[in-house]
Amino acid sequence: MDHLDEIRRRIIRHAGPNGRPLWTEGVLTFVSDRVTEPMGTVTEPVLTLVAQGTKRTMLGDHVFEHSPGKISVVTVDLPLTGHITEASPSKPFLALGLRLEPATIAQLLVEGGPGPIRPHDGPGMQISDADDKLLDALVRLLRLLDEPRDLRVLGPSVRREIHWRLLNSPQAALMRQAGTADSRLALVAAAIAWIKNRYDQVIRIDDLAADIGTSVSTLNRHFRTVTAMSPLQYQKQIRLQRARAALVSAPHDVAAVGYSVGYDNPSQFSREYRRMFGAPPGQDALRLQNASIVQE
């Protein structure tokens, strides 16, 4: 049995019920037997491996296609919209995830010494093929899920190895930025945290730039490179994604949901919601209630 076959079998064994992602000690296992509607989420730093099926993810104008054997790396909190495009009861979509740890990356960079890595000059998400060494480490991590005591003792070293494999993969430049405190990615991460704490408030870019210690022009340039959007567009994405999640359980309370995410004008909320999701809030929420949805 090759590594990917074993990963598929173990994902099915450990996945949560009813198509819900299950996190165990920082390890995600997920199974879905159906395609899903596009849904938005703010994704934290994570490694994801698709073992079976396909998925499409959008970050602004960037479109990422996930297929079996592909890994995606997200190194900063990003507002992504994704949906499963290939899955069935006989051949479900299978995915494995691992939370990334910037502190571990930084430590490995010190221990490993300098390497010939080009600077990363793209968004804070990349997709590439998983090599055999990385798949081997992921298999060993999944095996530890069967042994809770072994997982507590041996899990940290395997997770550390996975981070090292990523630092020596096509994702190396992006991973290196995630572990470097003075990198562009660190600046954008600080800006993202600032916005997320104030997503339902009126914000001024001048205040944001001053609080994180940079100029407005530098902030806007780096923020757009990493997230594919401006800081204000990022805030709007978070507002509307959170509103959409709330409306699934309260489709008839559109105005209250709009106010809860920072909109003072219900008409503006409905207009911007429709522009982003293609339908008015109440109509979209009712459609989602009747559709196959997986919110990751």
Side-chain angles (χ1 to χ4, degrees):
M1 180 182 299
D2 65 25
H3 291 323
L4 204 55
D5 281 341
E6 183 173 353
I7 287 172
R8 294 185 185 109
R9 179 171 58 83
R10 291 185 179 275
I11 289 173
I12 293 172
R13 178 173 178 175
H14 291 287
N18 303 320
R20 293 187 176 275
L22 177 66
W23 286 96
T24 305
E25 298 292 330
V27 180
L28 167 75
T29 48
F30 174 65
V31 176
S32 176
D33 64 2
R34 64 194 68 187
V35 299
T36 61
E37 291 285 330
M39 284 293 288
T41 184
V42 179
T43 302
E44 297 178 350
V46 67
L47 156 71
T48 305
L49 168 73
V50 170
Q52 186 168 276
T54 61
K55 179 182 175 182
R56 180 174 296 121
T57 300
M58 286 75 73
L59 172 63
D61 294 332
H62 296 276
V63 179
F64 299 90
E65 301 287 349
H66 311 252
S67 56
K70 297 281 188 180
I71 57 166
S72 65
V73 169
V74 175
T75 52
V76 68
D77 295 5
L78 293 176
L80 304 175
T81 300
H83 62 119
I84 296 168
T85 55
E86 182 182 329
S88 67
S90 61
K91 195 173 183 180
F93 176 82
L94 306 175
L96 166 68
L98 176 68
R99 288 193 175 100
L100 297 178
E101 303 166 359
T104 299
I105 299 170
Q107 183 180 21
L108 289 170
L109 287 173
V110 172
E111 296 178 9
I117 304 298
R118 291 183 177 180
H120 178 69
D121 193 29
M125 176 179 179
Q126 276 190 314
I127 289 183
S128 65
D129 292 320
D131 65 24
D132 194 61
K133 291 180 179 179
L134 178 59
L135 290 175
D136 176 68
L138 291 171
V139 166
R140 285 184 278 113
L141 185 61
L142 280 174
R143 289 171 184 165
L144 291 175
L145 294 182
D146 290 323
E147 303 289 344
R149 292 181 68 242
D150 289 352
L151 179 62
R152 286 193 296 271
V153 175
L154 303 177
S157 63
V158 180
R159 286 193 288 266
R160 189 172 186 273
E161 178 186 346
I162 291 169
H163 283 69
W164 176 249
R165 297 301 179 195
L166 291 172
L167 280 167
N168 291 276
S169 75
Q171 313 279 11
L174 181 59
M175 288 288 293
R176 182 177 290 271
Q177 278 199 351
T180 306
D182 61 350
S183 70
R184 175 184 59 194
L185 202 66
L187 183 147
V188 174
I192 285 173
W194 193 96
I195 294 170
K196 289 177 69 176
N197 287 332
R198 300 165 178 82
Y199 80 92
D200 57 350
Q201 304 171 24
V202 176
I203 63 173
R204 295 178 67 252
I205 302 304
D206 288 348
D207 294 337
L208 167 55
D211 282 357
I212 65 173
T214 190
S215 68
V216 171
S217 60
T218 298
L219 168 64
N220 282 329
R221 183 174 68 255
H222 291 338
F223 199 97
R224 188 174 291 276
T225 298
V226 172
T227 69
M229 62 193 75
S230 71
L232 290 178
Q233 289 172 327
Y234 184 97
Q235 183 195 33
K236 184 185 293 186
Q237 286 260 341
I238 293 178
R239 282 183 171 184
L240 293 175
Q241 287 185 4
R242 295 197 179 186
R244 198 184 200 199
L247 282 166
V248 171
S249 58
H252 303 295
D253 208 0
V254 173
V257 169
Y259 288 128
S260 72
V261 297
Y263 283 92
D264 295 328
N265 186 322
S267 296
Q268 181 189 5
F269 170 58
S270 294
R271 185 169 58 252
E272 293 188 355
Y273 188 101
R274 181 170 188 165
R275 188 178 300 126
M276 182 168 176
F277 299 118
Q283 179 182 329
D284 181 57
L286 290 173
R287 179 178 63 84
L288 290 175
Q289 284 186 327
N290 296 321
S292 299
I293 304 169
V294 176
Q295 185 174 358
E296 297 172 65

Short mmCIF file of all heavy atoms in Angstrom, two decimals, residues 226-251:
data_model
loop_
_atom_site.label_atom_id
_atom_site.label_comp_id
_atom_site.label_asym_id
_atom_site.label_seq_id
_atom_site.Cartn_x
_atom_site.Cartn_y
_atom_site.Cartn_z
N VAL A 226 -0.16 39.82 -0.51
CA VAL A 226 -0.37 38.60 0.27
C VAL A 226 -1.81 38.12 0.23
O VAL A 226 -2.07 36.92 0.14
CB VAL A 226 0.08 38.83 1.73
CG1 VAL A 226 -0.31 37.63 2.62
CG2 VAL A 226 1.58 39.06 1.80
N THR A 227 -2.77 39.05 0.29
CA THR A 227 -4.18 38.66 0.42
C THR A 227 -4.99 38.84 -0.86
O THR A 227 -6.15 38.43 -0.90
CB THR A 227 -4.87 39.47 1.53
OG1 THR A 227 -4.98 40.85 1.10
CG2 THR A 227 -4.10 39.39 2.83
N ALA A 228 -4.40 39.46 -1.88
CA ALA A 228 -5.08 39.73 -3.15
C ALA A 228 -6.22 40.73 -2.99
O ALA A 228 -7.15 40.76 -3.80
CB ALA A 228 -5.61 38.44 -3.78
N MET A 229 -6.17 41.57 -1.95
CA MET A 229 -7.19 42.60 -1.73
C MET A 229 -6.63 43.68 -0.83
O MET A 229 -5.57 43.51 -0.22
CB MET A 229 -8.46 41.99 -1.12
CG MET A 229 -8.28 41.35 0.24
SD MET A 229 -9.70 40.33 0.72
CE MET A 229 -9.44 38.87 -0.31
N SER A 230 -7.33 44.80 -0.74
CA SER A 230 -6.92 45.89 0.13
C SER A 230 -7.39 45.61 1.56
O SER A 230 -8.26 44.75 1.78
CB SER A 230 -7.53 47.21 -0.35
OG SER A 230 -8.93 47.21 -0.11
N PRO A 231 -6.86 46.33 2.56
CA PRO A 231 -7.35 46.13 3.94
C PRO A 231 -8.85 46.34 4.08
O PRO A 231 -9.52 45.58 4.80
CB PRO A 231 -6.55 47.17 4.73
CG PRO A 231 -5.28 47.33 3.97
CD PRO A 231 -5.68 47.23 2.53
N LEU A 232 -9.41 47.35 3.43
CA LEU A 232 -10.85 47.59 3.54
C LEU A 232 -11.65 46.49 2.83
O LEU A 232 -12.72 46.09 3.31
CB LEU A 232 -11.21 48.96 2.96
CG LEU A 232 -10.72 50.16 3.78
CD1 LEU A 232 -11.10 51.47 3.09
CD2 LEU A 232 -11.28 50.13 5.21
N GLN A 233 -11.14 45.99 1.72
CA GLN A 233 -11.81 44.85 1.07
C GLN A 233 -11.74 43.61 1.94
O GLN A 233 -12.70 42.82 2.00
CB GLN A 233 -11.16 44.58 -0.29
CG GLN A 233 -11.46 45.63 -1.34
CD GLN A 233 -10.64 45.43 -2.60
OE1 GLN A 233 -9.48 44.97 -2.56
NE2 GLN A 233 -11.20 45.79 -3.74
N TYR A 234 -10.62 43.43 2.64
CA TYR A 234 -10.49 42.30 3.57
C TYR A 234 -11.53 42.41 4.67
O TYR A 234 -12.21 41.42 5.01
CB TYR A 234 -9.09 42.30 4.16
CG TYR A 234 -8.77 41.12 5.06
CD1 TYR A 234 -8.09 40.02 4.57
CD2 TYR A 234 -9.14 41.12 6.40
CE1 TYR A 234 -7.79 38.94 5.39
CE2 TYR A 234 -8.85 40.05 7.23
CZ TYR A 234 -8.18 38.97 6.71
OH TYR A 234 -7.89 37.89 7.54
N GLN A 235 -11.68 43.60 5.25
CA GLN A 235 -12.69 43.79 6.29
C GLN A 235 -14.09 43.47 5.76
O GLN A 235 -14.89 42.82 6.44
CB GLN A 235 -12.65 45.22 6.82
CG GLN A 235 -13.63 45.47 7.96
CD GLN A 235 -13.86 46.94 8.22
OE1 GLN A 235 -13.83 47.77 7.30
NE2 GLN A 235 -14.09 47.29 9.49
N LYS A 236 -14.39 43.91 4.55
CA LYS A 236 -15.70 43.65 3.98
C LYS A 236 -15.92 42.15 3.77
O LYS A 236 -17.01 41.62 4.03
CB LYS A 236 -15.86 44.38 2.65
CG LYS A 236 -17.23 44.24 2.02
CD LYS A 236 -17.30 44.88 0.65
CE LYS A 236 -17.15 46.37 0.73
NZ LYS A 236 -17.36 47.01 -0.59
N GLN A 237 -14.87 41.45 3.33
CA GLN A 237 -14.98 40.00 3.16
C GLN A 237 -15.34 39.32 4.48
O GLN A 237 -16.22 38.46 4.54
CB GLN A 237 -13.66 39.43 2.63
CG GLN A 237 -13.38 39.72 1.17
CD GLN A 237 -13.71 38.54 0.29
OE1 GLN A 237 -13.81 37.41 0.75
NE2 GLN A 237 -13.87 38.80 -0.99
N ILE A 238 -14.65 39.70 5.55
CA ILE A 238 -14.92 39.10 6.86
C ILE A 238 -16.35 39.41 7.29
O ILE A 238 -17.08 38.54 7.76
CB ILE A 238 -13.91 39.61 7.91
CG1 ILE A 238 -12.51 39.10 7.58
CG2 ILE A 238 -14.32 39.14 9.30
CD1 ILE A 238 -11.46 39.58 8.53
N ARG A 239 -16.76 40.68 7.15
CA ARG A 239 -18.12 41.05 7.53
C ARG A 239 -19.16 40.20 6.81
O ARG A 239 -20.07 39.64 7.42
CB ARG A 239 -18.36 42.53 7.20
CG ARG A 239 -17.76 43.52 8.16
CD ARG A 239 -18.16 44.93 7.75
NE ARG A 239 -17.78 45.91 8.76
CZ ARG A 239 -18.07 47.20 8.70
NH1 ARG A 239 -18.73 47.65 7.64
NH2 ARG A 239 -17.71 48.01 9.67
N LEU A 240 -19.03 40.11 5.49
CA LEU A 240 -20.04 39.42 4.70
C LEU A 240 -19.99 37.91 4.90
O LEU A 240 -21.03 37.25 4.90
CB LEU A 240 -19.88 39.79 3.23
CG LEU A 240 -20.18 41.26 2.89
CD1 LEU A 240 -19.87 41.56 1.44
CD2 LEU A 240 -21.64 41.60 3.20
N GLN A 241 -18.81 37.35 5.07
CA GLN A 241 -18.73 35.92 5.33
C GLN A 241 -19.37 35.57 6.68
O GLN A 241 -20.08 34.57 6.80
CB GLN A 241 -17.27 35.45 5.28
CG GLN A 241 -16.71 35.39 3.88
CD GLN A 241 -15.30 34.81 3.84
OE1 GLN A 241 -14.78 34.39 4.85
NE2 GLN A 241 -14.70 34.80 2.67
N ARG A 242 -19.11 36.38 7.70
CA ARG A 242 -19.72 36.12 9.01
C ARG A 242 -21.23 36.33 8.95
O ARG A 242 -21.99 35.60 9.59
CB ARG A 242 -19.06 37.00 10.06
CG ARG A 242 -17.60 36.66 10.26
CD ARG A 242 -17.03 37.21 11.54
NE ARG A 242 -15.62 36.82 11.68
CZ ARG A 242 -14.89 37.06 12.74
NH1 ARG A 242 -15.41 37.68 13.78
NH2 ARG A 242 -13.62 36.67 12.79
N ALA A 243 -21.65 37.32 8.19
CA ALA A 243 -23.09 37.52 8.02
C ALA A 243 -23.73 36.32 7.33
O ALA A 243 -24.81 35.86 7.73
CB ALA A 243 -23.33 38.79 7.20
N ARG A 244 -23.07 35.79 6.32
CA ARG A 244 -23.64 34.64 5.60
C ARG A 244 -23.76 33.43 6.50
O ARG A 244 -24.78 32.73 6.47
CB ARG A 244 -22.75 34.30 4.40
CG ARG A 244 -23.46 33.44 3.36
CD ARG A 244 -22.55 33.05 2.24
NE ARG A 244 -23.30 32.64 1.06
CZ ARG A 244 -22.81 31.91 0.08
NH1 ARG A 244 -21.55 31.50 0.12
NH2 ARG A 244 -23.55 31.59 -0.97
N ALA A 245 -22.74 33.18 7.32
CA ALA A 245 -22.82 32.06 8.25
C ALA A 245 -23.96 32.24 9.25
O ALA A 245 -24.67 31.29 9.58
CB ALA A 245 -21.49 31.90 8.99
N ALA A 246 -24.15 33.48 9.73
CA ALA A 246 -25.23 33.75 10.70
C ALA A 246 -26.59 33.61 10.05
O ALA A 246 -27.55 33.13 10.68
CB ALA A 246 -25.06 35.15 11.28
N LEU A 247 -26.71 34.01 8.79
CA LEU A 247 -28.01 33.97 8.11
C LEU A 247 -28.48 32.55 7.83
O LEU A 247 -29.69 32.33 7.67
CB LEU A 247 -27.92 34.76 6.81
CG LEU A 247 -27.97 36.28 6.95
CD1 LEU A 247 -27.55 36.94 5.65
CD2 LEU A 247 -29.37 36.72 7.35
N VAL A 248 -27.58 31.60 7.75
CA VAL A 248 -28.00 30.22 7.51
C VAL A 248 -28.94 29.75 8.63
O VAL A 248 -29.90 29.01 8.39
CB VAL A 248 -26.78 29.28 7.40
CG1 VAL A 248 -27.21 27.83 7.38
CG2 VAL A 248 -26.00 29.61 6.13
N SER A 249 -28.70 30.20 9.86
CA SER A 249 -29.56 29.81 10.98
C SER A 249 -30.64 30.84 11.27
O SER A 249 -31.56 30.57 12.05
CB SER A 249 -28.71 29.60 12.24
OG SER A 249 -27.99 30.77 12.56
N ALA A 250 -30.56 32.04 10.65
CA ALA A 250 -31.57 33.08 10.89
C ALA A 250 -31.86 33.82 9.59
O ALA A 250 -31.60 35.02 9.47
CB ALA A 250 -31.10 34.05 11.96
N PRO A 251 -32.45 33.13 8.58
CA PRO A 251 -32.60 33.73 7.26
C PRO A 251 -33.59 34.89 7.20
O PRO A 251 -33.58 35.66 6.23
CB PRO A 251 -33.08 32.56 6.40
CG PRO A 251 -33.73 31.62 7.36
CD PRO A 251 -32.95 31.75 8.63
#
